[in-house]
């Protein structure tokens, strides 16, 4: 963000892992969340009037590659 890279830890939850009848492949679905502080990326202007914390949610559904 803002030209900076930083490692984060994702809190991941497996939703389902199963065989997809229509696609005839194994599929998996999960959600992951994390939070960042804008100020750690040089974007803290106007904090705390504008929240410094940014919550990120990721939802993925994927099939097994051939």
């Amino acid at each position: 963000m803002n030209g900076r890279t930083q490692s984060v830890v994702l809190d991941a939850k497996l939703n389902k892992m199963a065989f997809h009848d229509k696609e005839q492949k194994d599929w998996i679905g999960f959600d992951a969340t994390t939070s960042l502080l804008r100020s750690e990326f040089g974007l803290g202007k106007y904090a705390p009037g504008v929240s410094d914390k940014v919550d990120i949610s990721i939802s993925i559904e994927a099939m097994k590659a051939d």
Side-chain angles (χ1 to χ4, degrees):
M1 188 161 53
N2 199 30
R4 297 183 187 180
T5 302
Q6 177 178 323
S7 296
V8 297
V9 174
L10 298 174
D11 180 21
K13 175 186 138 199
L14 175 64
N15 293 325
K16 188 172 184 179
M17 186 169 34
F19 186 76
H20 194 291
D21 289 332
K22 183 178 177 185
E23 298 294 331
Q24 296 295 303
K25 293 184 179 187
D26 291 325
W27 281 64
I28 189 170
F30 66 91
D31 293 322
T33 59
T34 193
S35 296
L36 303 175
L37 295 177
R38 295 181 322 109
S39 58
E40 292 180 355
F41 295 89
L43 299 170
K45 190 173 182 181
Y46 304 117
V50 175
S51 179
D52 192 26
K53 183 181 172 187
V54 177
D55 293 324
I56 298 174
S57 299
I58 303 167
S59 293
I60 304 265
E61 184 176 307
M63 67 179 176
K64 186 174 182 180
D66 291 328

